[in-house]
Amino acid sequence: MSKLVKSILISSALLSGAGFGATLVSADDSGKFGLGREATPAEVAAWDIDIRPDGQGLPVGSGNVLDGEELYTNACAVCHGDFGEGVGRWPVLAGGHDTLTHERPEKTIGSYWPYLSTVYDYVRRAMPYGDARSLSDDDVYAITAYLLYLNDIVLDEDFVLSNENFLEIRLPNERNFTPDDRDQEPFYAAKTEPCMTDCKDGPVQITMRARILDVTPGTVDDDAAAGVGGVD
Amino acid sequence: MTETKGSGSTNLSRRSLLKAGLAGSGAALATGALPAAARAEGDPLITEIQDWNRYLGEGVQARPYGTPSQFESHVVRRDVEWLTASTESSVNFTPLHELDGIITPNGLCFERHHGGIAEINPADHRLMINGLVDRQMVFTMEDLMRFPRENRVYFLECAANSGMEWRGAQLNGCQYTHGMIHCVVYTGVPLKLILEEAGLKTNAKWLMPEGADASAMTRSVPMEKALDDCLVAFKMNGEALRPEQGYPLRLVVPGWEGNMWVKWLRRIEVGDEPWHHREETSKYTDLLETGKARRFTWVMDPKSVITSPSPQAPVRHGKGPMVISGVAWSGNGRITRVDVSIDGGRNWQTARIDGPSLPKAMHRFYLDIDWDGSDLLLQSRAMDENGYFQPTKNELRAARGENSIYHNNSIQTWYVQADGTVENVEVG
């Protein structure tokens, strides 16, 4: 082999070989890339604040109705009203019993929410609005106890809510939640070809016009004009 | 309240258009506005030399991050003030009537926040995986950028899109009736890869993504969906996520309601049961007429709307050729067909779908008609590859009552009058 050929072979071996240190990346046999690091127990504890209906995540602690009333009055009533009735368009928290079939249902903790754990979890993670995570675990127990009292689910002013008795409280509307069965609705279940011609008898009549309400932004002089419905 | 079409005054609609500044800009565009004398000599925009043709314009770097033309300043997101108690927990709407194609520009993607926009330096952002995994883990943004990534186009629709229309026609403009949707191309890491990095335990059945914002948004996501097509995304339309869309990291849950696409994603807990948190119990459940409520109604069913003409995009050109343009989408996959009616649903014609047809992405459709100048009752009806088509408003109300708020995917009607004004109406 000539010197020239040898040197070409050597350089091409270098170019194609391990000299540049790159192979295609792929996960190992266990599906891992070796990225990230293990979370410390303190890190997990700092962020893992969620509560489930079976009580998983509930911290040790307690709070009573009267302490809850004081906390609520100071931190919550400005938006939710002294009795959970809601100020303006802020959420109503209490009342609304037996209104779910009405034209204007009032969906409150007592009338609609299925699980008490949701109240504890939400107050703990997101309330008071604009000052989240400022309440102690006992504060959240107390506020939750007061919300039960406002909803007539507990009647005793001396009631104490704790991680010990939390699961004994059931909200009245729990059984009224059902799985998604939209696929059984007639227009989906049929899966028939829709009508293309002469689908209605005679000229189509207008039955409702948006301008009767006219709540579109920029179309009304009175800024207080408000329509119905909501996004939340 | 029943009226036959064509009756009634149009003064209010005209006044509304003028107040919204729409009619004014339209008049200048119309060639009919040219005085007769000027027409005889020729259009001065052609016969006279214009400033932009004589003088130099701005140089490069005058606009280091480009913005739309000054003549497009009306193309913005808008909100409905009466809808919510505060702007930090509120929504604004994509100006669908001004857009074309299937991709929403980043600055026009509607916003929905529950605790305002979190401003997070990506160097300070962490993603934690905890719960039923072999190893509880923390990833930095740099770690996440080292996983293999994918690019996918998806629509994101708020479950409450069209929610204000459940009880009847209320808002004049598809921006307000249908604007809680956007469609962008996401770049991100398949969630499956990140979960496998931590190692799923055999009883891992549910995920709980959580946001780093002041609402610490949480939802429960079933494992099958997470392993199927979810992404942990850091780019939209090629650039970093906008702060209002979850910068630096958001979850992408294709075809499912927007609330689950947790923004500012900081943690994913793995569990064996759903969490039943606030946004999947007191909100985002569908109250039926019976008093029962459906929960975990995740998929966004097929839906469409004509974006032009529409109340904010009236017809200014008179009779003759008219482009009817709209968008359609379905969380079940691709849109296979869109039918359009100009007579309120009596007769239908199949529209032309143009541009990419991708699963769980927005589709653009057109129907090119020769308008005779008479009143139109425009409707569109989308079908998806699952064989589902949009119900009428009355069919939807018959099945669910009027208290559902969410998942209103019924057929929209626009009433185009002879003078070109367009109104949101319902028909019998």
Side-chain angles (χ1 to χ4, degrees):
Chain A
M1 196 182 287
S2 76
K3 255 187 172 173
L4 182 61
V5 171
K6 213 184 237 174
S7 90
I8 289 171
L9 283 173
I10 289 166
S11 6
S12 63
L14 279 174
L15 279 172
S16 63
F20 287 86
T23 55
L24 285 178
V25 73
S26 60
D28 65 17
D29 291 344
S30 61
K32 298 191 195 321
F33 292 88
L35 295 168
R37 64 167 174 85
E38 185 147 350
T40 70
E43 288 172 338
V44 174
W47 278 5
D48 185 8
I49 59 165
D50 46 274
I51 319 292
R52 289 199 323 201
D54 61 2
Q56 181 181 294
L58 273 177
V60 173
S62 65
N64 65 44
V65 169
L66 287 175
D67 289 345
E69 179 178 20
E70 191 179 337
L71 287 160
Y72 178 94
T73 303
N74 291 331
C76 318
V78 61
C79 295
H80 295 294
D82 287 339
F83 305 100
E85 74 278 17
V87 175
R89 293 188 85 84
W90 295 103
V92 179
L93 300 180
H97 301 297
D98 300 323
T99 66
L100 296 184
T101 55
H102 293 187
E103 194 183 342
R104 294 281 185 272
E106 201 75 83
K107 296 192 283 186
T108 72
I109 293 166
S111 73
Y112 192 65
W113 294 36
Y115 302 111
L116 186 62
S117 59
T118 313
V119 180
Y120 193 101
D121 177 89
Y122 185 68
V123 173
R124 190 192 202 194
R125 74 173 49 250
M127 292 290 119
Y129 191 65
D131 194 18
R133 305 295 305 275
S134 61
L135 297 166
S136 72
D137 292 343
D138 286 346
D139 289 347
V140 180
Y141 276 113
I143 288 171
T144 307
Y146 184 60
L147 289 169
L148 287 170
Y149 181 76
L150 283 181
N151 277 286
D152 300 326
I153 292 165
V154 300
L155 304 173
D156 180 0
E157 279 186 13
D158 298 323
F159 174 75
V160 180
L161 183 68
S162 73
N163 57 301
E164 303 276 317
N165 66 357
F166 198 93
L167 295 185
E168 292 166 18
I169 308 284
R170 306 295 283 263
L171 299 187
N173 198 46
E174 177 182 340
R175 63 192 159 78
N176 285 321
F177 284 83
T178 61
D180 183 0
D181 59 351
R182 283 176 290 170
D183 59 355
Q184 300 304 309
E185 291 176 330
F187 39 86
Y188 292 144
K191 286 201 177 181
T192 49
E193 277 289 302
C195 174
M196 293 297 285
T197 53
D198 295 326
C199 307
K200 294 177 181 177
D201 297 329
V204 172
Q205 304 293 306
I206 291 172
T207 55
M208 190 181 292
R209 304 181 65 155
R211 73 175 179 85
I212 304 295
L213 266 165
D214 205 3
V215 288
T216 313
T219 63
V220 282
D221 295 318
D222 182 3
D223 287 340
V228 295
V231 294
D232 54 357
Chain B
M1 198 147 48
T2 301
E3 295 179 45
T4 49
K5 64 177 179 174
S7 69
S9 161
T10 58
N11 287 343
L12 189 56
S13 301
R14 281 194 175 136
R15 185 184 62 114
S16 307
L17 286 171
L18 285 166
K19 282 193 73 173
L22 294 166
S25 62
L29 290 171
T31 50
L34 215 57
R39 265 205 304 274
E41 296 297 320
D43 185 349
L45 286 164
I46 297 171
T47 59
E48 294 170 14
I49 296 167
Q50 304 298 315
D51 284 355
W52 57 85
N53 185 217
R54 171 164 298 174
Y55 306 113
L56 299 177
E58 287 179 340
V60 297
Q61 281 302 104
R63 309 172 195 202
Y65 191 100
T67 51
S69 160
Q70 59 178 302
F71 305 108
E72 297 293 317
S73 61
H74 56 289
V75 183
V76 290
R77 298 179 285 218
R78 295 179 194 277
D79 66 352
V80 176
E81 279 185 29
W82 56 256
L83 204 53
T84 51
S86 82
T87 58
E88 294 83 9
S89 181
S90 190
V91 64
N92 63 15
F93 302 86
T94 304
L96 291 176
H97 59 293
E98 296 281 0
L99 304 178
D100 219 312
I102 68 163
I103 298 293
T104 315
N106 287 342
L108 296 177
C109 291
F110 85 95
E111 303 169 79
R112 173 68 169 115
H113 316 309
H114 294 74
I117 301 168
E119 296 278 2
I120 304 173
N121 182 336
D124 297 338
H125 193 70
R126 304 287 183 269
L127 175 65
M128 179 187 290
I129 311 290
N130 72 305
L132 297 178
V133 288
D134 297 332
R135 189 173 175 231
Q136 306 196 103
M137 297 192 74
V138 173
F139 300 95
T140 63
M141 288 301 295
E142 281 187 338
D143 294 332
L144 296 172
M145 305 291 264
R146 295 170 68 193
F147 282 93
R149 63 185 83 143
E150 296 185 8
N151 293 283
R152 300 201 225 123
V153 179
Y154 294 121
F155 77 82
L156 181 163
E157 184 185 17
C158 176
N161 200 18
S162 313
M164 292 93 81
E165 304 282 309
W166 260 106
R167 293 190 174 89
Q170 180 164 275
L171 290 161
N172 260 325
C174 67
Q175 179 166 18
Y176 304 111
T177 57
H178 290 75
M180 280 194 260
I181 186 166
H182 54 68
C183 183
V184 304
V185 53
Y186 292 97
T187 307
V189 178
L191 177 54
K192 184 174 192 282
L193 297 184
I194 297 168
L195 294 174
E196 283 172 353
E197 196 69 18
L200 293 171
K201 292 196 184 292
T202 51
N203 56 340
K205 295 282 185 275
W206 290 84
L207 300 182
M208 190 209 70
E210 178 182 73
D213 63 316
S215 77
M217 176 61 62
T218 48
R219 287 291 302 256
S220 301
V221 180
M223 186 61 75
E224 308 86 72
K225 179 67 174 175
L227 298 179
D228 177 20
D229 60 0
C230 290
L231 288 178
V232 174
F234 37 79
K235 303 262 197 229
M236 57 192 292
N237 291 335
E239 65 178 357
L241 294 173
R242 291 292 171 87
E244 63 269 31
Q245 304 299 339
Y247 179 86
L249 199 64
R250 91 172 305 166
L251 189 63
V252 171
V253 190
W256 288 17
E257 57 190 22
N259 183 251
M260 306 176 80
W261 300 45
V262 171
K263 300 190 282 190
W264 310 289
L265 179 68
R266 76 162 185 196
R267 185 167 73 100
I268 297 172
E269 183 166 337
V270 181
D272 57 353
E273 296 280 342
W275 279 259
H276 296 284
H277 277 182
R278 190 238 193 193
E279 304 292 323
E280 53 202 12
T281 54
S282 86
K283 310 293 177 186
Y284 301 99
T285 48
D286 311 318
L287 179 58
L288 305 174
E289 211 163 26
T290 56
K292 299 272 185 187
R294 289 183 182 135
R295 67 175 154 215
F296 298 149
T297 48
W298 298 307
V299 176
M300 301 309 296
D301 278 325
K303 189 165 170 178
S304 68
V305 67
I306 291 169
T307 52
S308 177
S310 65
Q312 297 160 289
V315 186
R316 298 186 177 107
H317 54 57
K319 60 186 182 180
M322 180 199 288
V323 175
I324 297 172
S325 174
V327 282
W329 60 92
S330 171
N332 295 313
R334 287 180 180 79
I335 292 294
T336 51
R337 199 174 99 197
V338 181
D339 300 325
V340 170
S341 172
I342 62 171
D343 61 5
R346 254 190 112 190
N347 296 286
W348 297 85
Q349 303 171 70
T350 298
R352 174 171 57 91
I353 292 175
D354 188 78
S357 173
L358 300 166
K360 304 171 190 177
M362 212 177 247
H363 290 58
R364 175 62 58 176
F365 67 86
Y366 299 104
L367 188 72
D368 305 293
I369 67 164
D370 185 4
W371 186 36
D372 65 4
S374 63
D375 290 358
L376 305 173
L377 287 168
L378 293 180
Q379 297 186 335
S380 63
R381 177 178 69 192
M383 290 185 64
D384 67 27
E385 59 186 335
N386 195 26
Y388 287 2
F389 56 90
Q390 279 181 265
T392 65
K393 292 199 171 195
N394 289 335
E395 284 173 332
L396 201 68
R397 290 192 192 113
R400 303 182 194 171
E402 297 188 358
N403 286 332
S404 273
I405 300 176
Y406 308 103
H407 295 286
N408 177 1
N409 67 325
S410 58
I411 293 170
Q412 173 67 44
T413 309
W414 301 131
Y415 174 31
V416 182
Q417 296 169 71
D419 65 358
T421 56
V422 184
E423 190 186 344
N424 176 11
V425 299
E426 292 202 15
V427 293

